Amino acid sequence: MLTVQTEKHLLRDSKTELHGGLLVPPFECPARVDRILARVKAVSLGEVIEPRDFGMDPIRRIHDAGFLDFLANCWTEWQAAGFKGEAIPTAWPARRMRETPPKFIDGKLGYYALAAETAISNGTWEAALASANVALTAQAAIAKGAGSAFALCRPPGHHATSDMYGGYCFINNAAVAAQAFLDQGASRVAILDVDFHHGNGTQDIFYGRDDVLFLSLHGRPEDAFPYFLGYADETGKSQGEGFTANYPLPPGTAYDAWEDALKSALARIDAYGPDAVVISLGVDTFKDDPISFFKLESDDYKRYGKRIAGLNRPTLFVMEGGYAVDEIGINAVNVLTGFEDR
């Protein structure tokens, strides 16, 4: 299986995350890619290549122009305002407030942020662009005939909406890749999000559409970030009604119960008959993940990789979360080797 990866992910190296009332070193860190890439090479998964630059057009197909302008200029504006730390929002357009974009960067951050844990620092925008190009390069390989490919994206993307960032995500890599399939002739695409956290950004982007089937297995929103989306009764709107399926699961969920949800999701995908499948691959479902509460074991990732392969569809794996850094390489690559039945 082809892997696409770039050292430009190192440009995303913020030093602070708001967690538990403290500013701590971010759970989403550069070492995550190092461990995964080392494992890709250790098991001889396949060729590893650098991404191509696809420009802004594929990203603009998903994201709001004002939002992209904000991301591109946030750090410069933050420094120009005289702030000394990393850029973290402090105010939001909450209930009954005006949703008008402020001119001052402190206000802009709250307007475009969906959460406060994700600091923006020097290099964040460049790394986010490179991550989107990783996904697009892997997508292009599948469009040219490859049966599968692995986009080793960092930063991740599935929490990013068309006009908001958060949850470590800035550009929604999976959504950008799915749209690229459609723009190149696919009539329908399925996105299966197996990250522990609900893919709220991806759901929001496609919620009113019938050309993308979105399915997410995740910690139930009563108990887990991002909290305010991901309930089972969210099934789409307008022409998108019936094209979203959520499988919220309780604390302590182990593999057997998780697999039951996966089987249901895969049956939905099979009935839908997509031209391509995009997997938002988060391995924070692991039992020792520091910010999650599922109980999957390392061998379980091989098992479900094999189940995904049973769809017999062109499949793009896009890396999302997973914060047990010591095991992230084993767990992520186990999905891919399980998919390849080896």
Side-chain angles (χ1 to χ4, degrees):
M1 183 185 299
L2 174 71
T3 295
V4 185
Q5 185 268 338
T6 176
E7 291 302 296
K8 288 184 179 180
H9 82 89
L10 294 168
L11 295 170
R12 171 62 184 164
D13 193 17
S14 62
K15 304 302 181 184
T16 52
E17 173 178 336
L18 183 60
H19 176 76
L22 300 172
L23 289 176
V24 302
F27 293 99
E28 202 293 290
C29 59
R32 298 173 64 247
V33 167
D34 297 339
R35 298 298 177 89
I36 297 169
L37 188 60
R39 186 64 177 174
V40 163
K41 293 177 179 178
V43 303
S44 300
L45 185 69
E47 184 182 9
V48 180
I49 66 169
E50 286 280 328
R52 293 164 43 202
D53 184 354
F54 288 79
M56 290 301 298
D57 286 349
I59 298 169
R60 293 191 184 103
R61 294 284 288 136
I62 291 297
H63 289 288
D64 172 76
F67 173 62
L68 294 173
D69 181 71
F70 158 76
L71 289 177
N73 294 291
C74 174
W75 182 244
T76 299
E77 292 184 33
W78 180 258
Q79 288 187 303
F83 295 117
K84 302 303 181 184
E86 296 181 323
I88 299 174
T90 58
W92 284 264
R95 287 185 291 276
R96 295 176 297 283
M97 289 184 175
R98 290 279 295 270
E99 294 191 18
T100 302
K103 292 183 179 180
F104 187 53
I105 186 59
D106 191 39
K108 283 184 183 179
L109 279 160
Y111 181 80
Y112 286 113
L114 59 85
E117 80 297 294
T118 302
I120 291 178
S121 57
N122 187 36
T124 294
W125 170 241
E126 292 81 3
L129 279 180
S131 190
N133 279 315
V134 166
L136 286 165
T137 301
Q139 181 274 331
I142 292 175
K144 291 178 181 177
S148 61
F150 176 38
L152 182 42
C153 291
R154 181 180 176 270
H158 71 148
H159 293 307
T161 72
S162 64
D163 59 358
M164 290 184 287
Y165 78 95
Y168 316 135
C169 302
F170 305 95
I171 296 173
N172 195 310
N173 305 308
V176 169
Q179 186 64 53
F181 278 120
L182 294 168
D183 290 343
Q184 295 163 22
S187 59
R188 52 181 62 185
V189 175
I191 301 176
L192 174 63
D193 193 322
V194 293
D195 190 281
F196 168 81
H197 302 94
H198 178 246
N200 62 292
T202 313
Q203 173 173 308
D204 184 67
I205 288 165
F206 296 113
Y207 203 58
R209 292 173 50 171
D210 62 1
D211 53 355
V212 175
L213 175 67
F214 173 72
L215 312 96
S216 179
L217 285 62
H218 52 269
R220 64 190 184 191
E222 300 99 311
D223 303 301
F225 182 92
Y227 298 113
F228 305 109
L229 214 60
Y231 289 86
D233 63 356
E234 296 161 14
T235 58
K237 67 179 180 181
S238 186
Q239 68 187 50
E241 177 62 47
F243 290 88
T244 291
N246 284 304
Y247 302 84
L249 298 165
T253 293
Y255 183 70
D256 286 349
W258 189 90
E259 187 184 46
D260 286 342
L262 177 66
K263 290 176 184 176
S264 177
L266 293 176
R268 287 283 300 271
I269 294 171
D270 191 49
Y272 180 61
D275 299 304
V277 178
V278 177
I279 307 294
S280 274
L281 178 58
V283 293
D284 41 3
T285 48
F286 183 57
K287 63 177 182 177
D288 294 329
D289 194 275
I291 55 174
S292 308
F293 55 60
F294 288 171
K295 300 300 179 183
L296 273 64
E297 306 273 355
S298 290
D299 286 346
D300 295 331
Y301 294 94
K302 281 193 174 183
R303 294 168 64 186
Y304 86 65
K306 188 172 183 177
R307 284 204 172 275
I308 292 170
L311 290 171
N312 292 312
R313 303 278 176 180
T315 304
L316 169 62
F317 292 90
V318 177
M319 195 67 210
E320 303 284 4
Y323 309 102
V325 176
D326 288 344
E327 295 88 0
I328 190 173
I330 292 170
N331 295 338
V333 177
N334 273 1
V335 177
L336 307 177
T337 55
F339 181 87
E340 293 188 330
D341 196 20
R342 65 182 179 92

